Amino acid sequence: MHHDLLVWQVSMDLVSEVYALSAQFPKEEIYGLTAQLRRAAVSVPSNIAEGAARTTQKEFLYYLSVARGSLSELETQLFIAQRLKYCTELDLIMEQVNKIFGLLGGLINSLRKECVK
């Protein structure tokens, strides 16, 4: 079950962090960068959960790949927010992003090895 996956748990924490960070953005960004950041963040654990609920490992791998893509999108949007000076300190949130990249990579590699067997 996806609740047991560390990558899903850490991704859920990241969503909370992104919501807290983006709540400080200018109001004119509510339908722009704020919405984009939040959508990308929510997409990560959502795709992990959807993939885990699928019936084959191949499908799970697909959704993990989509989650990784959303994480890359989120990372880029965080850097944009920093460039626009909407936030200054991203070290903690980027540590979470990097941890999730690593966890996703490990899970993807593990599942790929099982698919080969």
Side-chain angles (χ1 to χ4, degrees), residues 79-98:
F79 288 138
I80 291 168
Q82 189 175 40
R83 282 182 175 220
L84 295 173
K85 305 210 183 322
Y86 294 163
C87 56
T88 54
E89 187 57 49
L90 289 179
D91 288 349
L92 293 177
I93 204 163
M94 290 310 296
E95 282 179 29
Q96 282 183 295
V97 167
N98 290 328

Side-chain angles (χ1 to χ4, degrees), residues 6-73:
L6 179 60
V7 68
W8 179 83
Q9 295 166 6
V10 176
S11 297
M12 292 292 287
D13 294 339
L14 179 63
V15 171
S16 299
E17 293 297 321
V18 167
Y19 267 74
L21 176 72
S22 62
Q24 302 168 23
F25 288 5
K27 294 299 177 208
E28 65 265 16
E29 285 294 341
I30 193 73
Y31 299 111
L33 191 55
T34 300
Q36 287 287 104
L37 271 165
R38 290 176 176 187
R39 256 193 305 278
V42 167
S43 180
V44 177
S46 297
N47 277 292
I48 294 166
E50 185 169 356
R54 296 295 176 148
T55 56
T56 68
Q57 286 185 340
K58 186 176 179 181
E59 288 176 300
F60 192 14
L61 280 166
Y62 169 78
Y63 282 95
L64 291 175
S65 176
V66 173
R68 190 166 51 180
S70 294
L71 190 61
S72 290
E73 182 181 353

